Amino acid sequence: MSSILVTGGAGFIGSHLVDALLERNEKVIVIDNLSMGDENNLPHDNNITFIKGDLSDSKLVNKLFSEYDINTIFHLGAVASVVASIENPSETHRTNMDGTLILLEAAKKYGVGRFIFASSAAIFGDEPTLPKSEESIIKPLTPYAIDKYGSEQYVIAYNRLYHLPTTVLRFFNVFGNRQNPSSPYSGVVSILTDKFKKIQNNEEDSFTLYGEGDQTRDFIHVKDVVKALILVMEREEAVGEIFNLGTGISTSLKQLIEIYERVTGLSLPIIEKEERSGDIKFSYTSIEKIKAIGYTPDYSLEEGLKVYWNNE
Ligand code: UD2
């Protein structure tokens, strides 16, 4: 039986995808170096093979392809930290771009039915036109964003040059359980969740709001991301295409906090600080292109936050 390879499968989004694939009775191979992921994110299941290693290790990747009949690749593995990419651009480049090329070469050599790459809204930088679309101006501002954009271009070029059936999804602000809240650069929803949990336990805490809270984002629940990943795997029309993935709805940080207070029934003390330098002010995407191949998000922000809060 053929297998599905998930790079970064022990991470936040990857592990949710693995859950969904196992539910569909797929055989799943996870490669993850556990630099950001955690093996505890994966269930004990005979249909998972876990390999701890770097996706930039071309020997290891080629060994995987020679040992297993890999039919589909979800390439989600990356050093998913803009800050790390600024501090160590060469090191993160090895994973975030060379790793993509190594996987594409292996996919070309061994042949696969699908290759799906997780890109990021970061590629748009601070170019202000909204909503974003697949035709929007690209302005990657950090090594992380440059590597995501370079990887996208390789992924699409391998379709053009070698007819490898590739697809790119550009994730906007994904939230849900298993996202690490421990750094100030963690996703804002995971930080808020952590703060609300402390307040619930009668610990004193507050949320540092950078700016006045009028900045906007397109928050998408991780289960809706998984739904889109599986959809593009199944749809022939997705081959050779790039799709932006969000909800199509723009929410300010102030609104996010209000909705989350309603969901938790708790009130969160806020400390306002200066805007964070390098932050993007407004961001959201049109989802018309992915809707045209059958995608609709299942979760409103409020529903997604409920699910997250109740750890479902
Ligand atoms: C996301 C990515 C970032 C980069 C960027 C590119 C995450 C966690 N961050 O940043 O790495 O790819 O997109 O578009 O995926 N905020 C606070 N207080 C906090 C934390 C955040 O006020 O404690 C604000 C922050 O200043 C920003 C907003 O919340 O205005 C969202 O922050 P974020 O880091 O969750 O997401 P974003 O889109 O800035």
PDB file of all heavy atoms in Angstrom, residues 11 27 30 92 113 124 135 175-176 190 194 203 225 252 264 271-272 287 295:
ATOM      1  N   GLY A  11       4.629  18.683  13.968  1.00  0.00           N
ATOM      2  CA  GLY A  11       4.392  20.086  14.340  1.00  0.00           C
ATOM      3  C   GLY A  11       2.915  20.407  14.487  1.00  0.00           C
ATOM      4  O   GLY A  11       2.057  19.516  14.450  1.00  0.00           O
ATOM      5  N   LYS A  27      -1.779   5.321   5.141  1.00  0.00           N
ATOM      6  CA  LYS A  27      -0.491   5.035   5.789  1.00  0.00           C
ATOM      7  C   LYS A  27       0.339   6.306   5.707  1.00  0.00           C
ATOM      8  O   LYS A  27       0.466   6.900   4.637  1.00  0.00           O
ATOM      9  CB  LYS A  27       0.244   3.923   5.046  1.00  0.00           C
ATOM     10  CG  LYS A  27      -0.056   2.541   5.556  1.00  0.00           C
ATOM     11  CD  LYS A  27       0.730   1.507   4.794  1.00  0.00           C
ATOM     12  CE  LYS A  27       1.864   0.913   5.585  1.00  0.00           C
ATOM     13  NZ  LYS A  27       1.462   0.240   6.802  1.00  0.00           N
ATOM     14  N   VAL A  30       6.015  10.261   8.738  1.00  0.00           N
ATOM     15  CA  VAL A  30       6.313  11.605   9.230  1.00  0.00           C
ATOM     16  C   VAL A  30       7.826  11.764   9.302  1.00  0.00           C
ATOM     17  O   VAL A  30       8.511  10.925   9.878  1.00  0.00           O
ATOM     18  CB  VAL A  30       5.709  11.818  10.638  1.00  0.00           C
ATOM     19  CG1 VAL A  30       6.245  13.094  11.279  1.00  0.00           C
ATOM     20  CG2 VAL A  30       4.181  11.861  10.561  1.00  0.00           C
ATOM     21  N   THR A  92      18.629  28.471   8.412  1.00  0.00           N
ATOM     22  CA  THR A  92      17.199  28.278   8.123  1.00  0.00           C
ATOM     23  C   THR A  92      16.983  28.063   6.628  1.00  0.00           C
ATOM     24  O   THR A  92      16.088  27.324   6.228  1.00  0.00           O
ATOM     25  CB  THR A  92      16.337  29.458   8.631  1.00  0.00           C
ATOM     26  OG1 THR A  92      16.833  30.670   8.075  1.00  0.00           O
ATOM     27  CG2 THR A  92      16.355  29.556  10.144  1.00  0.00           C
ATOM     28  N   GLY A 113       2.244  11.040  -6.921  1.00  0.00           N
ATOM     29  CA  GLY A 113       0.929  11.428  -7.449  1.00  0.00           C
ATOM     30  C   GLY A 113       0.574  12.866  -7.116  1.00  0.00           C
ATOM     31  O   GLY A 113      -0.195  13.516  -7.825  1.00  0.00           O
ATOM     32  N   PHE A 124       3.908  38.267   1.059  1.00  0.00           N
ATOM     33  CA  PHE A 124       3.331  39.544   0.610  1.00  0.00           C
ATOM     34  C   PHE A 124       3.968  40.740   1.315  1.00  0.00           C
ATOM     35  O   PHE A 124       3.770  41.883   0.887  1.00  0.00           O
ATOM     36  CB  PHE A 124       1.817  39.569   0.843  1.00  0.00           C
ATOM     37  CG  PHE A 124       1.069  38.566   0.011  1.00  0.00           C
ATOM     38  CD1 PHE A 124       0.369  37.520   0.602  1.00  0.00           C
ATOM     39  CD2 PHE A 124       1.067  38.664  -1.373  1.00  0.00           C
ATOM     40  CE1 PHE A 124      -0.318  36.597  -0.160  1.00  0.00           C
ATOM     41  CE2 PHE A 124       0.386  37.738  -2.153  1.00  0.00           C
ATOM     42  CZ  PHE A 124      -0.311  36.699  -1.545  1.00  0.00           C
ATOM     43  N   GLU A 135      -2.867  37.069  -7.294  1.00  0.00           N
ATOM     44  CA  GLU A 135      -2.181  37.970  -8.237  1.00  0.00           C
ATOM     45  C   GLU A 135      -1.522  39.149  -7.527  1.00  0.00           C
ATOM     46  O   GLU A 135      -0.929  40.003  -8.179  1.00  0.00           O
ATOM     47  CB  GLU A 135      -3.182  38.521  -9.271  1.00  0.00           C
ATOM     48  CG  GLU A 135      -3.344  37.636 -10.502  1.00  0.00           C
ATOM     49  CD  GLU A 135      -4.059  36.353 -10.172  1.00  0.00           C
ATOM     50  OE1 GLU A 135      -5.150  36.434  -9.576  1.00  0.00           O
ATOM     51  OE2 GLU A 135      -3.520  35.272 -10.459  1.00  0.00           O
ATOM     52  N   PHE A 175      -4.616  29.093  13.556  1.00  0.00           N
ATOM     53  CA  PHE A 175      -4.634  28.905  15.023  1.00  0.00           C
ATOM     54  C   PHE A 175      -5.300  27.582  15.365  1.00  0.00           C
ATOM     55  O   PHE A 175      -6.015  26.992  14.550  1.00  0.00           O
ATOM     56  CB  PHE A 175      -5.359  30.074  15.716  1.00  0.00           C
ATOM     57  CG  PHE A 175      -6.854  30.090  15.497  1.00  0.00           C
ATOM     58  CD1 PHE A 175      -7.712  29.531  16.438  1.00  0.00           C
ATOM     59  CD2 PHE A 175      -7.397  30.652  14.353  1.00  0.00           C
ATOM     60  CE1 PHE A 175      -9.090  29.525  16.238  1.00  0.00           C
ATOM     61  CE2 PHE A 175      -8.784  30.654  14.138  1.00  0.00           C
ATOM     62  CZ  PHE A 175      -9.620  30.091  15.081  1.00  0.00           C
ATOM     63  N   GLY A 176      -5.045  27.131  16.588  1.00  0.00           N
ATOM     64  CA  GLY A 176      -5.639  25.879  17.053  1.00  0.00           C
ATOM     65  C   GLY A 176      -4.715  25.252  18.073  1.00  0.00           C
ATOM     66  O   GLY A 176      -3.614  25.781  18.323  1.00  0.00           O
ATOM     67  N   SER A 190      -2.435  31.683  20.201  1.00  0.00           N
ATOM     68  CA  SER A 190      -1.889  30.745  21.198  1.00  0.00           C
ATOM     69  C   SER A 190      -1.450  31.501  22.452  1.00  0.00           C
ATOM     70  O   SER A 190      -1.610  31.008  23.570  1.00  0.00           O
ATOM     71  CB  SER A 190      -0.754  29.904  20.602  1.00  0.00           C
ATOM     72  OG  SER A 190       0.378  30.694  20.347  1.00  0.00           O
ATOM     73  N   ASP A 194      -3.087  30.911  26.246  1.00  0.00           N
ATOM     74  CA  ASP A 194      -2.241  30.684  27.408  1.00  0.00           C
ATOM     75  C   ASP A 194      -2.598  31.661  28.550  1.00  0.00           C
ATOM     76  O   ASP A 194      -2.734  31.270  29.714  1.00  0.00           O
ATOM     77  CB  ASP A 194      -0.800  30.924  26.930  1.00  0.00           C
ATOM     78  CG  ASP A 194       0.215  30.370  27.883  1.00  0.00           C
ATOM     79  OD1 ASP A 194       0.024  29.229  28.315  1.00  0.00           O
ATOM     80  OD2 ASP A 194       1.198  31.090  28.192  1.00  0.00           O
ATOM     81  N   GLU A 203      -4.464  32.798  38.319  1.00  0.00           N
ATOM     82  CA  GLU A 203      -3.119  33.372  38.329  1.00  0.00           C
ATOM     83  C   GLU A 203      -3.218  34.776  37.746  1.00  0.00           C
ATOM     84  O   GLU A 203      -4.073  35.044  36.912  1.00  0.00           O
ATOM     85  CB  GLU A 203      -2.176  32.530  37.460  1.00  0.00           C
ATOM     86  CG  GLU A 203      -1.847  31.182  38.046  1.00  0.00           C
ATOM     87  CD  GLU A 203      -1.083  30.317  37.047  1.00  0.00           C
ATOM     88  OE1 GLU A 203      -0.123  30.797  36.438  1.00  0.00           O
ATOM     89  OE2 GLU A 203      -1.495  29.151  36.869  1.00  0.00           O
ATOM     90  N   VAL A 225      -7.571  24.433   7.639  1.00  0.00           N
ATOM     91  CA  VAL A 225      -6.352  24.302   6.842  1.00  0.00           C
ATOM     92  C   VAL A 225      -6.203  22.846   6.381  1.00  0.00           C
ATOM     93  O   VAL A 225      -5.908  22.569   5.217  1.00  0.00           O
ATOM     94  CB  VAL A 225      -5.117  24.755   7.647  1.00  0.00           C
ATOM     95  CG1 VAL A 225      -3.831  24.419   6.915  1.00  0.00           C
ATOM     96  CG2 VAL A 225      -5.198  26.250   7.926  1.00  0.00           C
ATOM     97  N   SER A 252      -9.881  42.582  13.545  1.00  0.00           N
ATOM     98  CA  SER A 252      -8.866  43.362  14.268  1.00  0.00           C
ATOM     99  C   SER A 252      -8.499  42.610  15.551  1.00  0.00           C
ATOM    100  O   SER A 252      -9.259  41.765  16.043  1.00  0.00           O
ATOM    101  CB  SER A 252      -9.389  44.756  14.598  1.00  0.00           C
ATOM    102  OG  SER A 252     -10.329  44.663  15.643  1.00  0.00           O
ATOM    103  N   THR A 264     -14.628  32.565  26.440  1.00  0.00           N
ATOM    104  CA  THR A 264     -14.102  32.024  27.701  1.00  0.00           C
ATOM    105  C   THR A 264     -14.904  32.500  28.911  1.00  0.00           C
ATOM    106  O   THR A 264     -14.815  31.917  29.989  1.00  0.00           O
ATOM    107  CB  THR A 264     -12.637  32.478  27.922  1.00  0.00           C
ATOM    108  OG1 THR A 264     -12.626  33.911  27.943  1.00  0.00           O
ATOM    109  CG2 THR A 264     -11.719  31.980  26.834  1.00  0.00           C
ATOM    110  N   ILE A 271      -2.190  45.316  28.505  1.00  0.00           N
ATOM    111  CA  ILE A 271      -1.181  46.375  28.636  1.00  0.00           C
ATOM    112  C   ILE A 271      -0.798  46.799  27.224  1.00  0.00           C
ATOM    113  O   ILE A 271      -0.348  45.975  26.427  1.00  0.00           O
ATOM    114  CB  ILE A 271       0.057  45.868  29.394  1.00  0.00           C
ATOM    115  CG1 ILE A 271      -0.344  45.513  30.822  1.00  0.00           C
ATOM    116  CG2 ILE A 271       1.172  46.900  29.369  1.00  0.00           C
ATOM    117  CD1 ILE A 271       0.724  44.802  31.595  1.00  0.00           C
ATOM    118  N   GLU A 272      -1.030  48.078  26.926  1.00  0.00           N
ATOM    119  CA  GLU A 272      -0.700  48.540  25.570  1.00  0.00           C
ATOM    120  C   GLU A 272       0.753  48.968  25.486  1.00  0.00           C
ATOM    121  O   GLU A 272       1.256  49.663  26.349  1.00  0.00           O
ATOM    122  CB  GLU A 272      -1.616  49.702  25.173  1.00  0.00           C
ATOM    123  CG  GLU A 272      -2.964  49.219  24.690  1.00  0.00           C
ATOM    124  CD  GLU A 272      -3.786  50.288  23.991  1.00  0.00           C
ATOM    125  OE1 GLU A 272      -3.217  51.253  23.459  1.00  0.00           O
ATOM    126  OE2 GLU A 272      -5.027  50.142  23.987  1.00  0.00           O
ATOM    127  N   ILE A 287     -10.608  34.455  -0.845  1.00  0.00           N
ATOM    128  CA  ILE A 287     -10.455  32.996  -1.016  1.00  0.00           C
ATOM    129  C   ILE A 287     -11.267  32.510  -2.219  1.00  0.00           C
ATOM    130  O   ILE A 287     -11.628  31.332  -2.311  1.00  0.00           O
ATOM    131  CB  ILE A 287     -10.817  32.215   0.277  1.00  0.00           C
ATOM    132  CG1 ILE A 287     -12.216  32.572   0.798  1.00  0.00           C
ATOM    133  CG2 ILE A 287      -9.763  32.428   1.340  1.00  0.00           C
ATOM    134  CD1 ILE A 287     -12.694  31.640   1.913  1.00  0.00           C
ATOM    135  N   TYR A 295     -13.780  24.710  -1.965  1.00  0.00           N
ATOM    136  CA  TYR A 295     -13.450  24.935  -0.558  1.00  0.00           C
ATOM    137  C   TYR A 295     -14.406  25.914   0.111  1.00  0.00           C
ATOM    138  O   TYR A 295     -14.733  26.953  -0.458  1.00  0.00           O
ATOM    139  CB  TYR A 295     -12.018  25.496  -0.438  1.00  0.00           C
ATOM    140  CG  TYR A 295     -11.644  25.827   0.982  1.00  0.00           C
ATOM    141  CD1 TYR A 295     -11.346  24.816   1.882  1.00  0.00           C
ATOM    142  CD2 TYR A 295     -11.645  27.144   1.431  1.00  0.00           C
ATOM    143  CE1 TYR A 295     -11.040  25.108   3.201  1.00  0.00           C
ATOM    144  CE2 TYR A 295     -11.338  27.441   2.752  1.00  0.00           C
ATOM    145  CZ  TYR A 295     -11.038  26.409   3.632  1.00  0.00           C
ATOM    146  OH  TYR A 295     -10.746  26.699   4.929  1.00  0.00           O
TER     147      TYR A 295
END
